[in-house]
């Protein structure tokens, strides 16, 4: 009898609680009124070239697509954003327990994706975050927890049209997991790959190209979750890049692992065919020294002469210091602590 | 003797301590039992209260939100029949088959002016922005330069066309949320020309948000022949209409689409045009129902108004930048069409 009375009380409490919460949501939360205030706006112009200085020991500097903003992680794991025109350095993440380990600008907007080694100091938890430099807006994707303690994001590729983001989470010295986020902020575990796997995503079709080094190249179709081997008549190959127009570039490697030929083919809704456009290189080049521009121009890096050379027509463009990256119409290099953004002038 | 007394006292103390400990244990057990019971009871009964209880707003919102999210459609289906879901949604649906003959053409006259006013919208559940454009003849439809392959962000279309302001417009095919924004739903008419979506049946009525040559906003379902009759110069397809001839189309319920980021357009009697965006899917702004959007439109004088593509597409561009907070972590979504204000 005593137990029965206790249970009645508990049920009554739960029912009262539920009714109160639902009543609040029904009558107060879902009833709203709007008030209006006037605000003002301002306009900005885009710089094409520029320069800025980074702190000692910085290894990686990345520039936004229009060269308005630069980004780097300092030796303390803090992510800095530089407003290049105004030479303003802002610390935007990694100021507390978590150290930033990966960052990447989007190809068509001043928005940076980044990730840290821990989440609020907790290991084995990964979260992708974004910062929109224009509006100083922070956003995030859902956390992924339950990963091995040393897990961290080692690569990301995305499509600005489908807003699909593929992230490679390195879970050990030999393994990685590929996860995908969609426009609704949902994520899915797509596959497991080796730690050094190369990943690239197409812009216009929901397809993802991947390769474990030394193995075959595959295309994952996100619409039907199927994978197909890339039909290529060479054994020793490596993914080089996918340009803005969805052309896939594959390097044919010799026994030293250097690129001797480049195969290219546009990715569309249907499967890739064996109909490749082939370009033979005049001299063999390490794959990391091949640079594909967003509009599909192929260059190789001549580090001795501080030049990039257009593979098709041998035209060259010079840079100061060490090459960092190629933007649409601009070259980015670092000379000591000074980052230079210069117009891409081929001669 | 004293030893015996001491031992007895010790035994008594031990017993008391043990009793205290067991009392503590039982209290802890009782608390734990209480929480587990409450959790299980509420987990089982809350969905029943939501779907069968007296809380109509909660029921409509949950059914609307889950129904419009496709992957969660099985949730209301577990509790309600298809008929019941249709009734709940239908009860709040805005009328989409508006009698085209009943649309009253406004006579506001043409007064060309550059005046644009920007307002903040703030409520307990959402934030947003509202633009009032005094001269309706400055509104044009912009569209993606990459159609049909892909869409383009609202800000990019606006910048490319030299527009002062823009909001996202029509919807697009978005299978598995992998749409590139390049396959528009319905039609796009810009500068009097069909850009996409022209069909053979010129009398087939489709969702319309259009501007006539004189700047009158036409909303509701209309055919290509209707558009010709109205002398429409700019048009896209979306809906539902929220206000027609000064009257709200959602008479009861919340509109049936749940809470989401929203974009809407309206026109006042004096011809001025209202661009409205409501942010959503964040703790700062949950989003709005269609009814709430309709209420704002009516409050600010709209005599005709319609809903545009919302969700992650919701974007407002003004004076060189995006001024709302698009919901996706990557910011703006690529869309097929925008409504923009030319200088």
């Amino acid at each position: 009898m005593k137990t029965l009375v206790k249970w009645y009380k508990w049920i009554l409490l739960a029912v009262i609680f539920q009714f109160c919460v639902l009543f609040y949501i029904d009558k107060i939360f879902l009833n709203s009124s709007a008030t209006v205030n006037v605000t003002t706006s301002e306009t900005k112009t885009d710089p094409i070239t520029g320069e800025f200085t980074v702190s000692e020991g910085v290894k990686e500097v990345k520039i936004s697509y229009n060269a308005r903003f630069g980004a780097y992680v300092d030796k303390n794991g803090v992510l800095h954003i530089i407003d290049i025109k105004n030479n303003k350095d802002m610390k935007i993440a990694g100021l507390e327990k978590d150290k930033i380990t990966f960052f990447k600008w989007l190809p068509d907007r001043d928005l940076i994706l980044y990730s840290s080694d821990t989440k609020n100091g907790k290991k084995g938890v990964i979260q992708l975050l974004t910062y929109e430099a224009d509006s100083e807006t922070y956003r995030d994707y859902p956390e992924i927890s339950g990963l091995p303690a040393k897990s961290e994001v080692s690569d990301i590729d995305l499509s600005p049209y489908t807003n699909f983001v593929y992230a490679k989470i390195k879970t050990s010295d030999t393994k990685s997991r590929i996860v995908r986020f969609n426009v609704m902020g949902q994520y899915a575990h797509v596959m497991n790959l080796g730690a050094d796997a190369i990943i690239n995503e197409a812009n216009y079709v929901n397809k993802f190209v991947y390769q474990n080094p030394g193995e075959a190249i595959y295309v994952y179709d996100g619409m039907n979750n199927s994978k197909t081997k890339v039909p290529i008549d060479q054994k020793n190959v490596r993914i080089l890049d996918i340009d803005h127009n969805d052309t896939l570039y594959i390097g044919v490697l010799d026994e030293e692992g250097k690129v001797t030929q480049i195969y290219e083919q546009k990715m569309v809704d249907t499967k890739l065919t064996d109909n490749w456009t082939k370009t033979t290189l005049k001299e063999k080049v390490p794959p990391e020294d091949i640079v594909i521009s967003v509009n599909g121009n192929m260059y190789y890096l001549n580090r001795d002469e501080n030049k990039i050379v257009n593979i098709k027509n041998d035209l060259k463009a010079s840079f100061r210091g060490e090459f960092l990256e190629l933007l649409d119409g601009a070259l980015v290099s670092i000379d000591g602590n000074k980052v230079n953004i210069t117009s891409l002038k081929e001669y | 003797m004293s030893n015996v007394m001491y031992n007895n006292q010790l035994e008594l103390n031990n017993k008391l301590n043990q009793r205290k400990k067991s009392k503590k244990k039982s209290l802890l057990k009782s608390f734990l039992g209480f929480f587990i019971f409450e959790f299980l009871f509420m987990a089982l009964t809350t969905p029943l209260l939501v779907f069968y209880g007296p809380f109509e707003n909660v029921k409509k919102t949950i059914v609307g939100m889950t129904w419009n999210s496709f992957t969660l459609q099985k949730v209301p289906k577990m509790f309600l029949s298809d008929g019941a879901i249709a009734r709940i949604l239908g009860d709040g649906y805005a009328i989409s088959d508006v009698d085209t003959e009943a649309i009253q053409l406004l006579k506001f006259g043409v007064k060309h002016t550059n005046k644009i006013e920007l307002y903040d919208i703030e409520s307990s559940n959402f934030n947003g922005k509202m633009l009032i454009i005094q001269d309706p003849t400055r509104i044009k439809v912009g569209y993606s330069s990459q159609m049909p392959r892909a869409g383009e962000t609202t800000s990019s279309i606006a910048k490319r066309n030299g527009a002062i302001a823009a909001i996202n417009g029509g919807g697009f095919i978005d299978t598995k949320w992998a749409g590139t924004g390049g396959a528009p739903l319905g039609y796009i008419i810009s500068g009097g020309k069909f850009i996409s979506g022209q069909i053979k049946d010129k009398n087939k009525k489709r969702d319309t948000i259009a501007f006539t040559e004189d700047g009158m906003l036409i909303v509701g379902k209309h055919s290509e022949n209707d558009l010709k009759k109205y002398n429409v110069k700019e048009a896209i397809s979306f809906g539902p209409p929220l206000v027609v001839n000064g009257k709200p189309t959602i008479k009861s319920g919340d509109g049936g689409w749940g809470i989401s980021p929203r974009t809407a357009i309206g026109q006042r009697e004096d011809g001025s045009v209202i661009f409205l965006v409501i942010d959503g899917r964040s703790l700062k702004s949950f989003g709005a129902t269609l009814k709430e959007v309709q209420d704002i439109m009516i409050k600010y004088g709209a005599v005709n108004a319609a809903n545009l593509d919302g969700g992650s597409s919701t974007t407002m561009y003004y004076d060189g930048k995006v001024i709302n907070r698009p919901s996706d972590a990557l910011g703006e979504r690529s869309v097929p069409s925008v409504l923009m204000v030319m200088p």
Side-chain angles (χ1 to χ4, degrees), chain B residues 130-152:
Chain B
M130 184 161 74
L131 281 175
I132 309 283
I133 303 107
Q134 298 289 339
D135 179 0
T137 60
R138 291 167 66 201
I139 312 285
K140 306 273 177 217
V141 165
Y143 52 92
S144 165
S145 60
Q146 301 200 71
M147 234 162 38
R149 197 174 177 210
E152 195 177 341

Side-chain angles (χ1 to χ4, degrees), chain B residues 3-290:
Chain B
N3 269 349
V4 173
M5 270 181 73
Y6 177 74
N7 282 341
N8 282 345
Q9 187 65 36
L10 207 67
E11 210 172 299
L12 201 69
N13 280 346
N14 279 342
K15 270 185 185 170
L16 272 171
N17 278 341
Q18 264 178 355
R19 220 178 273 171
K20 263 185 191 173
K21 268 184 189 171
S22 91
K23 227 180 180 182
K24 254 187 187 175
K25 252 187 186 174
S26 114
L27 206 67
L28 201 74
K29 229 177 169 182
S30 202
F31 259 119
L32 209 68
F34 171 75
F35 282 118
I36 291 170
F37 177 88
E38 295 291 302
F39 178 77
L40 290 175
F41 180 83
M42 285 200 270
L44 286 170
T45 56
T46 304
L48 301 176
L49 264 178
V50 166
F51 289 109
Y52 305 124
F55 307 104
E56 287 303 314
N57 284 336
V58 174
K59 182 160 53 181
K60 280 172 189 166
T61 302
I62 297 289
V63 172
M65 280 169 79
T66 49
W67 198 253
N68 285 309
S69 69
F70 300 104
T71 49
L72 295 174
Q73 283 187 359
K74 56 190 170 204
V75 177
K77 271 188 165 184
M78 275 166 65
F79 297 94
L80 302 169
S81 66
D82 286 351
I85 292 168
R87 265 198 306 281
I88 289 167
L89 295 175
D91 181 35
Y93 263 130
I95 303 159
S96 51
D97 285 313
V98 176
D99 182 359
T100 53
E101 294 308 315
I103 284 196
Q104 297 157 9
L105 291 176
L106 299 173
K107 286 177 185 163
F108 40 75
V110 180
K111 40 174 196 271
H112 296 296
T113 161
N114 288 331
K115 197 175 172 191
I116 295 181
E117 297 158 58
L118 172 63
Y119 297 87
D120 275 342
I121 304 289
E122 287 168 9
S123 92
S124 52
N125 305 342
F126 56 77
N127 300 320
K129 299 276 181 189
M130 184 161 74
L131 281 175
I132 309 283
I133 303 107
Q134 298 289 339
D135 179 0
T137 60
R138 291 167 66 201
I139 312 285
K140 306 273 177 217
V141 165
Y143 52 92
S144 165
S145 60
Q146 301 200 71
M147 234 162 38
R149 197 174 177 210
E152 195 177 341
T153 58
T154 301
S155 61
S156 174
I157 298 173
K159 280 177 190 168
R160 187 164 48 74
N161 286 285
I164 296 165
I167 47 173
N168 65 292
F172 54 93
I173 297 165
D174 195 18
T175 314
K176 292 188 178 181
W177 290 305
T180 61
L185 294 168
Y187 45 69
I188 297 176
I189 299 172
S190 181
K193 287 179 189 163
F194 266 92
I195 306 303
S196 82
Q198 199 164 13
I199 52 172
K200 280 183 186 169
D201 184 356
K202 306 295 176 202
N203 290 314
K204 186 179 163 66
K205 292 184 186 292
R206 291 185 280 175
D207 281 318
T208 298
I209 290 155
F211 279 93
T212 66
E213 191 148 27
D214 297 334
M216 160 97 193
L217 173 66
I218 307 279
V219 298
K221 282 198 187 267
H222 300 275
S223 67
E224 286 183 25
N225 281 338
D226 292 336
L227 300 187
K228 213 181 228 177
K229 188 179 75 189
Y230 287 129
N231 207 5
V232 161
K233 209 178 154 202
E234 312 287 331
I236 52 168
S237 284
F238 214 76
L242 302 171
V243 187
V244 177
N245 297 333
K247 291 173 203 137
T249 59
I250 307 167
K251 300 283 194 325
S252 66
D254 65 2
W257 288 19
I259 295 173
S260 233
R262 301 275 173 217
T263 306
I265 187 166
Q267 187 168 44
R268 291 165 158 176
E269 202 157 13
D270 65 357
S272 56
V273 174
I274 302 169
F275 279 6
L276 175 71
V277 291
I278 303 291
D279 289 337
R281 295 178 186 161
S282 81
L283 290 174
K284 284 182 184 165
S285 180
F286 295 102
T289 64
L290 289 181

Side-chain angles (χ1 to χ4, degrees), chain A residues 81-288:
Chain A
I81 300 286
I82 312 279
D83 179 338
I84 296 170
K85 191 182 175 189
N86 302 316
N87 207 14
K88 194 175 149 197
D89 189 325
M90 298 157 284
K91 293 175 182 175
I92 65 136
L95 293 159
E96 291 174 11
K97 290 175 186 169
D98 313 320
K99 304 299 164 210
I100 305 304
T101 52
F102 184 88
F103 63 103
K104 179 174 186 163
W105 287 102
L106 262 69
D108 68 340
R109 58 197 81 171
D110 292 316
L111 189 144
I112 196 164
L113 254 169
Y114 61 93
S115 175
S116 53
D117 55 349
T118 55
K119 176 73 187 164
N120 297 327
K122 207 173 157 190
K123 290 180 178 177
V125 184
I126 290 290
Q127 187 171 31
L128 298 189
L129 302 106
T130 65
Y131 174 77
E132 197 163 21
D134 258 341
S135 57
E136 299 179 10
T137 305
Y138 290 88
R139 298 183 181 92
D140 54 39
Y141 283 105
E143 283 180 17
I144 304 174
S145 56
L147 296 164
K150 281 187 175 175
S151 298
E152 60 180 50
V153 172
S154 59
D155 201 2
I156 290 175
D157 208 10
L158 58 98
S159 159
Y161 300 110
T162 63
N163 284 28
F164 267 110
V165 174
Y166 284 86
K168 185 175 89 172
I169 302 170
K170 192 176 166 187
T171 50
S172 73
D173 291 340
T174 54
K175 290 177 184 169
S176 70
R177 279 184 209 185
I178 306 296
V179 293
R180 181 184 65 195
F181 296 88
N182 70 11
V183 76
M184 301 300 284
Q186 299 166 323
Y187 76 87
H189 174 217
V190 178
M191 63 180 77
N192 293 327
L193 293 173
D196 299 322
I198 304 163
I199 61 166
N200 275 102
E201 185 187 346
N203 285 307
Y204 298 92
V205 287
N206 186 7
K207 289 184 179 181
F208 169 76
V209 184
Y210 64 95
Q211 179 190 26
N212 280 318
E215 296 178 12
I217 300 169
Y218 289 89
V219 176
Y220 171 81
D221 189 329
M223 296 308 280
N224 52 28
N225 301 332
S226 65
K227 67 168 190 175
T228 45
K229 195 174 163 183
V230 170
I232 195 161
D233 58 357
Q234 299 283 341
K235 276 186 181 169
N236 198 7
V237 289
R238 181 181 149 131
I239 301 169
L240 294 175
D241 210 346
I242 296 177
D243 70 15
H244 190 79
N245 199 30
D246 273 359
T247 300
L248 168 66
Y249 298 85
I250 292 174
V252 177
L253 310 178
D254 65 4
E255 60 282 356
E256 291 174 52
K258 290 186 174 174
V259 179
T260 56
Q261 214 176 9
I262 296 174
Y263 280 40
E264 59 183 282
Q265 187 175 156
K266 195 167 172 178
M267 297 183 71
V268 287
D269 282 324
T270 52
K271 287 178 182 174
L272 288 169
T273 66
D274 54 6
N275 188 18
W276 297 90
T277 303
K278 299 168 189 174
T279 305
T280 304
L281 273 64
K282 285 179 185 162
E283 51 184 288
K284 51 190 181 182
V285 180
E288 54 276 14

